[in-house]
Amino acid sequence: MRLRTLLLGAAAAVAITPAALAERGSDGEVKIIYWQAPSTMNPYLSGGTKELEAASLVVEPLARYDQDGNMVPWLAESVPTVDNGGVSSDLTTITWKLREGLLWSDGSPVTSADVVFTWKYCADPAGGCAQSEKYNDVTDVKAVDDLTVTVTFGVPKPFPYGPFVGAQAPIIQAAQFADCLGAKAPECTDANFGPIGTGPFQVTDFRPNDVISLEANPNYRDPAKPAFATVTFKGGGDTASAGRSVLETGEFDYAWNMQLAPDVLGAMESAGKGTVVSAFGTLVERIMINLTNPDPALGDERSTKAHPHPFLSDPAVRQALSMAIDRALLVEIGYGSAGRPSCNVLPAPEIYKSTANDGCLVQDIEGAKALLDGAGWVPGADGIRAKDGVRLSILYQTSTNAVRQDFQALIKQWWSDIGVETELRNIDASVFFGGDPGSPDTFQKFYADVEMYANNFDGTDPEAYMANWECKQAPTPETQWQGNNMPRYCSEEYDALVAKMAQTGKLEDRATLAKAMNDKLMQEYIILPLVDRGRVSAHSNTLGGVIMNVWDSELWNAADWYRTKTQ
């Protein structure tokens, strides 16, 4: 099958219908809790899932993905294809048409000028757009008329659905962000905290790393939605407290990312107040290797390509760290049936899943020791290995979370067994994933030797996701520390694979290229995948309309949520 063939088929629009008929706002308040608190409502200034999902209540894309991974029109009338004339026969342009009558929450019309502006906002090199990979190969975006916009690519794009598709690439209002281009982007606090949107809700108060208050958008396109008049979006705390607030006490209606041990989660659900929902997608818990030197003595050049890492530049060290890990045990203690050991950073869909790296499924402490011995890393009197005066001493950071701290403790012990010293550091998730260019503690700045977190991608095509590790995606001071290439990996061969996939139409060939990129990252031990995680959340038994979606924002259909009964 060729992607070109897929493009020839008309894209089916999926109608999302609530199970209850109600007037807008008739169900009062809905309370959502994310134990990782959002630090902004602008998804272009953060790579954190918590920001993307909170923002998805307010700002929306032209098209997105439903619970089955199907692309569906959202602000657009339909999904453009070759067959319906929306994609040019040479695959270099895609033309979107907005629905008629769309209004921003301030009552002004949504036009193609907003779509054009969104691209210009993300494309500004001084702005450090966190989602820039979604706009790869775009050379121009032009308004044909008030409702029509054409995206032009510099190369034929068999999959032209990166720009403006999914929760990672929503449309922002040109009028509101007009003075926020480039380096000014993070300075526009009012706009970043309270974007004017087209979604079912609008922000009334934003307290970074704390609480977001929202109300029903009076200009939402469906006059009967949303059923809820207000949203209280609580951020912070810990996973266990968030779980209890939905499953045991009923204080909240929806709790995201229940990263809890299986027995703990099961005990909470048995209280009968709520339901756990889960599904597997592309979410992988991984350890990222810093290929640059995070030494504070380097000042503004720490964790930049100007200074290679003193020992993680050695592939043998990176491989030994991976070999020492017992991934099956991590799954057992951390996720149970909601996790699977993974040797790939690209675990799904199945056609993209590589089997070339499955050796990581077996822990090999002795093999790791032998590898380090052969590379000249010799244990000292204290058991810690060194070479040419450089000790294998690692600062290992992650966000504050019980499961992650359990993982850190186990991995520290395994690394100690092979002669590697490890200092553990955990950072409040709201800060770690916050994207504040002024903070030293973000996962983008990566002021540590290794860091652990999970990430995934919109939809079922991994082109934009695998482009995360292009050379140009490395966060730097010049990009306001935005970018998704946390290891600062740079390979001409890898970049060539990204470019080739962008122009490849045959699905099987795209899969071959995606697996080649995955395998290159895995076999160079740039990323150490740990667990293929199911997304696990919980909702109150009185909250109806919830449909778990692992291919887009979990809050993708919040406009359809409603109150079912009084408990």
Side-chain angles (χ1 to χ4, degrees):
M1 176 182 283
R2 294 180 179 273
L3 259 182
R4 185 182 179 86
T5 305
L6 292 177
L7 288 169
L8 288 169
V14 175
I16 308 298
T17 306
L21 298 175
E23 293 181 0
R24 176 180 293 160
S26 60
D27 285 345
E29 179 188 28
V30 64
K31 301 178 72 174
I32 299 170
I33 185 166
Y34 273 47
W35 57 271
Q36 295 179 11
S39 58
T40 180
M41 289 291 279
N42 184 345
Y44 289 111
L45 295 185
S46 174
T49 303
K50 59 193 175 68
E51 281 83 20
L52 294 176
E53 302 213 343
S56 73
L57 294 168
V58 176
V59 289
E60 302 176 303
L62 297 182
R64 69 187 331 153
Y65 299 90
D66 69 11
Q67 71 272 23
D68 298 317
N70 301 307
M71 191 183 305
V72 295
W74 215 251
L75 295 183
E77 281 188 345
S78 61
V79 175
T81 64
V82 171
D83 190 48
N84 65 24
V87 176
S88 62
S89 59
D90 64 0
L91 308 181
T92 60
T93 67
I94 181 170
T95 299
W96 294 90
K97 190 169 183 63
L98 289 164
R99 297 187 190 197
E100 291 188 8
L102 288 175
L103 298 177
W104 292 104
S105 57
D106 66 358
S108 61
V110 179
T111 73
S112 54
D114 296 302
V115 182
V116 173
F117 177 83
T118 298
W119 168 65
K120 289 181 177 179
Y121 178 89
C122 190
D124 192 307
C129 179
Q131 317 300 338
S132 60
E133 75 280 0
K134 298 284 281 187
Y135 298 90
N136 271 2
D137 301 315
V138 176
T139 59
D140 196 18
V141 181
K142 286 187 176 179
V144 177
D145 58 39
D146 282 352
L147 297 180
T148 310
V149 64
T150 296
V151 180
T152 300
F153 300 97
V155 297
K157 291 287 280 190
F159 188 83
Y161 305 113
F164 317 119
V165 176
Q168 294 176 332
I171 309 305
I172 57 175
Q173 190 192 60
Q176 185 183 30
F177 285 89
D179 297 324
C180 303
L181 292 169
K184 294 181 179 179
E187 299 173 5
C188 292
T189 303
D190 289 346
N192 294 332
F193 287 0
I196 295 166
T198 56
F201 298 98
Q202 61 182 6
V203 177
T204 57
D205 185 51
F206 183 90
R207 301 177 190 175
N209 304 322
D210 190 5
V211 178
I212 312 167
S213 299
L214 305 99
E215 65 183 7
N217 174 0
N219 292 297
Y220 188 61
R221 55 190 171 274
D222 187 330
K225 298 178 184 179
F228 290 103
T230 61
V231 178
T232 297
F233 192 114
K234 176 73 175 73
D238 58 78
T239 326
S241 297
R244 282 194 295 269
S245 71
V246 170
L247 297 171
E248 293 184 352
T249 69
E251 180 185 359
F252 281 82
D253 295 300
Y254 191 90
W256 165 83
N257 192 15
M258 293 292 90
Q259 201 172 353
L260 293 165
D263 57 332
V264 174
L265 193 58
M268 288 183 181
E269 189 174 24
S270 67
K273 293 278 190 177
T275 300
V276 174
V277 288
S278 64
F280 280 97
T282 60
L283 186 66
V284 174
E285 189 82 13
R286 81 283 300 270
I287 291 175
M288 306 298 262
I289 303 293
N290 194 344
L291 299 177
T292 63
N293 193 341
D295 187 347
L298 298 173
D300 292 342
E301 292 187 344
R302 67 188 297 203
S303 288
T304 69
K305 65 180 181 181
H307 302 280
H309 198 282
F311 59 84
L312 290 175
S313 297
D314 184 344
V317 175
R318 304 195 299 265
Q319 183 177 353
L321 295 177
S322 180
M323 293 170 68
I325 296 171
D326 185 342
R327 289 163 171 82
L329 183 56
L330 294 179
V331 169
E332 180 183 340
I333 68 162
Y335 297 99
S337 61
R340 302 181 286 218
S342 182
C343 297
N344 298 307
V345 75
L346 176 60
E350 192 65 27
I351 192 173
Y352 298 110
K353 184 178 179 180
S354 174
T355 58
N357 312 299
D358 289 352
C360 96
L361 297 174
V362 179
Q363 184 186 41
D364 188 0
I365 295 289
E366 294 307 314
K369 289 180 181 178
L371 183 64
L372 292 172
D373 287 339
W377 294 95
V378 180
D382 59 357
I384 304 305
R385 294 176 184 268
K387 178 180 177 180
D388 299 330
V390 176
R391 283 165 50 87
L392 294 186
S393 182
I394 285 176
L395 175 59
Y396 174 7
Q397 71 178 18
T398 188
S399 62
T400 304
N401 168 267
V403 170
R404 286 191 171 138
Q405 271 66 82
D406 287 345
F407 277 27
Q408 280 187 306
L410 284 169
I411 292 170
K412 176 179 180 177
Q413 181 58 56
W414 293 328
W415 286 351
S416 176
D417 291 344
I418 64 172
V420 177
E421 180 180 58
T422 306
E423 177 187 347
L424 302 180
R425 182 180 186 221
N426 65 82
I427 302 165
D428 184 276
S430 301
V431 176
F432 187 62
F433 296 114
D436 179 359
S439 170
D441 296 324
T442 66
F443 74 134
Q444 295 101 329
K445 277 199 174 171
F446 204 170
Y447 286 170
D449 301 297
V450 301
E451 63 184 6
M452 179 173 67
Y453 59 90
N455 208 351
N456 63 324
F457 60 92
D458 281 346
T460 56
D461 187 277
E463 181 184 320
Y465 176 66
M466 298 312 294
N468 280 342
W469 297 286
E470 285 184 288
C471 297
K472 68 181 182 181
Q473 279 291 326
T476 66
E478 292 74 28
T479 65
Q480 307 288 324
W481 294 102
Q482 295 294 348
N484 295 303
N485 182 356
M486 306 314 172
R488 284 64 162 152
Y489 178 66
C490 190
S491 162
E492 290 183 4
E493 182 182 348
Y494 188 92
D495 283 10
L497 289 170
V498 173
K500 188 173 181 180
M501 186 175 182
Q503 300 180 59
T504 298
K506 188 177 179 182
L507 189 59
E508 290 81 358
D509 291 344
R510 289 175 68 80
T512 298
L513 289 165
K515 286 191 281 191
M517 284 184 268
N518 173 85
D519 293 349
K520 187 168 176 59
L521 294 169
M522 300 305 95
Q523 292 164 19
E524 293 182 27
Y525 300 92
I526 307 303
I527 301 170
L528 311 184
L530 303 175
V531 181
D532 174 10
R533 284 175 46 190
R535 295 188 71 161
V536 181
S537 294
H539 66 81
S540 165
N541 289 336
T542 70
L543 181 63
V546 175
I547 300 175
M548 170 58 87
N549 189 341
V550 298
W551 310 110
D552 205 289
S553 167
E554 283 189 28
L555 306 180
W556 72 297
N557 76 325
D560 302 321
W561 290 4
Y562 58 93
R563 187 69 65 198
T564 59
K565 62 182 180 179
T566 302
Q567 189 159 314

